[in-house]
Amino acid sequence: MAKINENYLKLAGSYLFRETAHRTAAYKEAHPEADVISLGIGDVTQPLPKACIEAMHKAVDEMACSSTFRGYGPEQGYSFLIEKIIENNYKGLGIENDEIFISDGAKSDCGNIQEIFSVDNRIAITDPVYPVYLDTNVMAGRTGLLAEDGHYAGVTYLSCNAENNFCPELPEERPDLIYLCCPNNPTGTTLNREQLKVWVDYARENESVILFDAAYNAYITDEDVPRTIFEIEGAHDVAIEFRSFSKTAGFTGTRCGYIVLPKTVMGKTADGSRQALNPLWNRRHTTKFNGTAYIIQRGAEAIYTPEGKQQVKEIISYYMENARIIREGLTAAGVTAFGGVNAPYIWLKTPDNMPSWDFFDKLLNEVNIVGTPGAGFGPCGEGYFRLTAFGNREKTIEAVERIRNNLHF
Ligand SMILES: *Cc1c(COP(=O)(O)O)cnc(C)c1O
């Protein structure tokens, strides 16, 4: 019999959204008349920008004609898209074409990047955070077993909570790889320039690599929050950035993202010599991936046209107005809420430190609202709860009214 990769047996079940869906379905079955509103959704709901749709239609037609048909494209992505990305997102930051790799999304990239690193690297992750970073390292064998307290052995957890203003403290033990997600999912909080500079300096001094997930960069409103880690001096030697068209332009079902990996970011070989990471990723990407569809890359390119920019701005404003309504409504109801200014997530403190799953049940039973328990994003998420701004306006307003009128904090 084939031997399995036993690391997979170390994984905690993908319990979070299965369990919230299960509890919601059970409630609806028992109360068929209830108007249950979901603010648990981590997916966009607004349709794609019109500019993207038009560009994709045009690209489909090109596929119908032998003179414009495209087969395999460059695995790293078409230069028409890479050039637009640099011009619009990295202008003046010294990023070159061969430092960008177009992919089918940030989830794959965040999950796959660990393959170019040795299995005996130590990883640090912020807690709570998007679960993909940790799980893919568990699969690769870079952790020990999951302990009772929800922590994997051999992993450095960087706690982020109200006490430290959601800014992780530098670890005592040096990690090789540091995962940062800014703006953060689930907390909706950010690191400002000064705070991020601390991490870049730390990575330089300690020869660590920062894996910087900027999937929500389009939601940043504060001037003080960098749009890319490459705005920080020195980051070009230590950081890899992940970007996505998913939350930016509604591509969650359409699939397009990219990695920015400067050629100056180094790792080391067993004999101690320095090795640039860019060629390793290039080799990995071109061997295991055959390129994002031409039609999709044309759609992605269209967000950089004047119409595309305007349409993206409108979609994001729509979600961020929902975020404002939730955040201000909760605050008025006496709830302590974070996030919602630079991200479509509101992270609230449960009343009297109520366990987050109990709060899930309370919200569902008493006001028919579904959210996501903080504990599902890491041990430090306990005592917190995530609401999202991806719903429609009316339902969002209605949900906030229900909380304000019926729950006493
Ligand atoms: C949604 C999300 C992603 C995944 O984006 P895709 O490009 O759709 O794969 C990555 N990171 C974070 C933090 C996310 O919330």
Side-chain angles (χ1 to χ4, degrees):
M1 228 181 261
K3 296 190 195 83
I4 61 154
N5 176 351
E6 294 207 17
N7 294 315
Y8 278 67
L9 304 180
K10 295 179 195 163
L11 290 164
S14 60
Y15 163 77
L16 179 64
F17 291 100
R18 205 163 10 105
E19 183 62 18
T20 57
H22 172 74
R23 292 192 193 192
T24 307
Y27 182 85
K28 282 182 178 169
E29 198 175 305
H31 306 86
E33 76 299 339
D35 173 21
V36 177
I37 300 177
S38 178
L39 295 184
I41 186 166
D43 193 356
V44 299
T45 54
Q46 294 289 303
L48 289 172
K50 225 164 130 217
C52 301
I53 295 292
E54 282 163 9
M56 287 193 276
H57 276 302
K58 189 160 161 265
V60 169
D61 288 339
E62 286 177 49
M63 289 301 201
C65 180
S66 60
S67 65
T68 49
F69 168 78
R70 311 265 184 149
Y72 291 126
E75 291 96 340
Q76 301 92 334
Y78 284 102
S79 54
F80 63 75
L81 179 55
I82 291 174
E83 281 162 14
K84 296 280 176 10
I85 287 170
I86 292 178
E87 191 184 311
N88 287 278
N89 300 341
Y90 298 97
K91 204 177 171 117
L93 296 177
I95 300 295
E96 296 173 9
N97 286 25
D98 57 359
E99 296 177 325
I100 297 211
F101 299 85
I102 308 293
S103 71
D104 64 352
K107 188 186 213 177
S108 320
D109 288 338
C110 293
N112 291 332
I113 193 70
Q114 48 78 27
E115 285 187 27
I116 65 169
F117 295 99
S118 165
V119 73
D120 55 17
N121 279 319
R122 187 175 182 93
I123 66 156
I125 56 160
T126 53
D127 172 20
V129 83
Y130 185 59
V132 174
Y133 321 139
L134 180 61
D135 287 358
T136 52
N137 277 288
V138 174
M139 291 170 177
R142 224 167 265 115
T143 75
L145 295 174
L146 181 61
E148 277 285 309
D149 64 2
H151 294 92
Y152 281 92
V155 174
T156 299
Y157 288 82
L158 307 166
S159 314
C160 295
N161 47 40
E163 287 68 43
N164 62 16
N165 240 320
F166 301 94
C167 178
E169 279 148 42
L170 295 172
E172 277 162 26
E173 193 177 350
R174 175 198 161 271
D176 301 288
L177 303 173
I178 300 163
Y179 287 87
L180 297 177
C181 180
C182 177
N184 185 275
N185 176 8
T187 67
T189 59
T190 49
L191 299 176
N192 64 26
R193 275 196 180 75
E194 199 182 320
Q195 291 167 327
L196 193 53
K197 178 80 164 60
V198 169
W199 281 95
V200 169
D201 290 347
Y202 177 86
R204 292 176 67 88
E205 276 156 33
N206 292 279
E207 301 192 307
S208 309
V209 173
I210 296 177
L211 303 164
F212 190 76
D213 187 347
Y216 295 94
N217 79 297
Y219 292 82
I220 297 170
T221 57
D222 281 348
E223 276 308 311
D224 199 26
V225 176
R227 269 56 178 174
T228 156
I229 193 167
F230 299 114
E231 285 178 30
I232 308 294
E233 198 195 329
H236 291 67
D237 298 325
V238 293
I240 302 175
E241 181 161 289
F242 303 88
R243 291 273 194 117
S244 172
F245 290 86
S246 285
K247 317 303 177 359
T248 304
F251 275 55
T252 53
T254 310
R255 314 303 309 141
C256 194
Y258 55 96
I259 276 185
V260 186
L261 207 182
K263 294 192 283 290
T264 40
V265 184
M266 297 285 161
K268 68 173 186 202
T269 61
D271 68 13
S273 58
R274 291 157 67 80
Q275 166 66 47
L277 299 178
N278 177 296
L280 302 188
W281 181 254
N282 186 53
R283 189 60 206 260
R284 193 257 167 225
H285 195 67
T286 55
T287 300
K288 293 198 179 184
F289 186 65
N290 242 341
T292 301
Y294 171 71
I295 297 163
I296 302 304
Q297 293 190 59
R298 281 295 184 199
E301 180 194 20
I303 77 164
Y304 300 114
T305 59
E307 309 77 58
K309 283 180 190 171
Q310 183 55 31
Q311 291 157 9
V312 163
K313 213 169 133 191
E314 281 162 21
I315 295 171
I316 291 187
S317 305
Y318 180 86
Y319 294 137
M320 290 312 284
E321 174 63 9
N322 286 349
R324 187 192 65 77
I325 290 165
I326 299 171
R327 187 170 39 83
E328 291 182 0
L330 290 174
T331 307
V335 182
T336 307
F338 306 92
V341 175
N342 297 301
Y345 296 122
I346 288 87
W347 187 242
L348 66 92
K349 189 90 203 70
T350 61
D352 302 324
N353 262 330
M354 184 186 280
S356 60
W357 279 104
D358 292 355
F359 189 71
F360 176 89
D361 291 334
K362 180 181 168 72
L363 219 54
L364 178 59
N365 288 306
E366 294 181 19
V367 287
N368 299 346
I369 292 167
V370 176
T372 313
F377 298 99
C380 263
E382 187 51 286
Y384 293 87
F385 198 79
R386 190 188 78 172
L387 296 177
T388 83
F390 287 129
N392 84 26
R393 179 67 44 77
E394 274 167 49
K395 293 285 182 194
T396 300
I397 292 171
E398 160 82 22
V400 171
E401 284 300 305
R402 283 189 205 167
I403 293 174
R404 281 187 68 169
N405 296 337
N406 299 294
L407 286 189
H408 303 287
F409 292 92

